[in-house]
Amino acid sequence: MKLLIINGPNLNLLGLRQPEIYGSESMDDCLKRLRQRFPEIEIDYCQSNHEGVIIDLIHKNGMSEAGCDGIILNAGAYSHTSLAIADAIASAMVPVVEVHISNVASREPIRRVSMIGPVCHGVVAGFGLDSYRLAVEAFKEIVAR
């Protein structure tokens, strides 16, 4: 199985940005743990602060045989604002799982509504960087069906 993790804006600052919300570990630390825990799964990773780049990654990896088996997407603030990313997800031929590090339901009102959640296979939120592991676990079940 091959999964692609896509992180959106400001998630390149994990470990530095608002550690009281996002923790003090970097995404590199998270990826290292995921790859050690799931050696049978090829896990690729991309991060962009640009909406169009995220859409292009979904198109390239979610709509071709050369792509991946699933996408784990933490679109950051775009989760709450981007109809364009939602449209790209809806067009994808592979499942997409939305991930959030924080519990967005307990944050500011604008973060409580996801534009991408309704077109995703599922959502994992509020478990810190462990949200990514839970999404990989979900994909193991999804692909096994």
Side-chain angles (χ1 to χ4, degrees):
M1 177 177 10
K2 180 178 179 181
L3 298 177
L4 173 64
I5 297 172
I6 302 173
N7 272 352
N10 299 309
L11 291 164
N12 55 308
L13 300 176
L14 283 176
L16 303 171
R17 173 185 172 225
Q18 296 173 284
E20 68 281 4
I21 296 173
Y22 301 106
S24 57
E25 289 187 285
S26 71
M27 192 63 195
D28 285 340
D29 296 332
C30 177
L31 290 167
K32 182 178 178 180
R33 272 196 318 281
L34 289 173
R35 289 175 178 140
Q36 287 174 344
R37 185 173 184 134
F38 304 104
E40 73 283 8
I41 300 173
E42 182 180 343
I43 299 173
D44 290 336
Y45 174 72
C46 295
Q47 186 278 330
S48 180
N49 293 316
H50 305 281
E51 184 178 30
V53 172
I54 294 168
I55 292 165
D56 289 342
L57 286 165
I58 294 167
H59 289 174
K60 179 181 176 186
N61 293 280
M63 300 194 66
S64 73
E65 291 180 18
C68 58
D69 298 303
I71 297 171
I72 296 169
L73 174 61
N74 184 341
Y78 287 137
S79 301
H80 318 290
T81 63
S82 181
L83 183 58
I85 291 175
D87 287 346
I89 294 166
S91 300
M93 298 163 60
V94 300
V96 177
V97 171
E98 179 182 12
V99 163
H100 292 283
I101 296 165
S102 67
N103 179 358
V104 291
S106 69
R107 296 191 59 198
E108 308 93 315
I110 194 165
R111 293 185 196 270
R112 295 177 193 161
V113 177
S114 172
M115 292 192 81
I116 69 173
V119 293
C120 286
H121 191 85
V123 179
V124 179
F127 295 95
L129 290 180
D130 206 33
S131 295
Y132 294 94
R133 178 191 60 80
L134 294 168
V136 173
E137 295 279 359
F139 268 109
K140 287 177 68 174
E141 294 298 318
I142 292 166
V143 172
R145 292 182 195 155

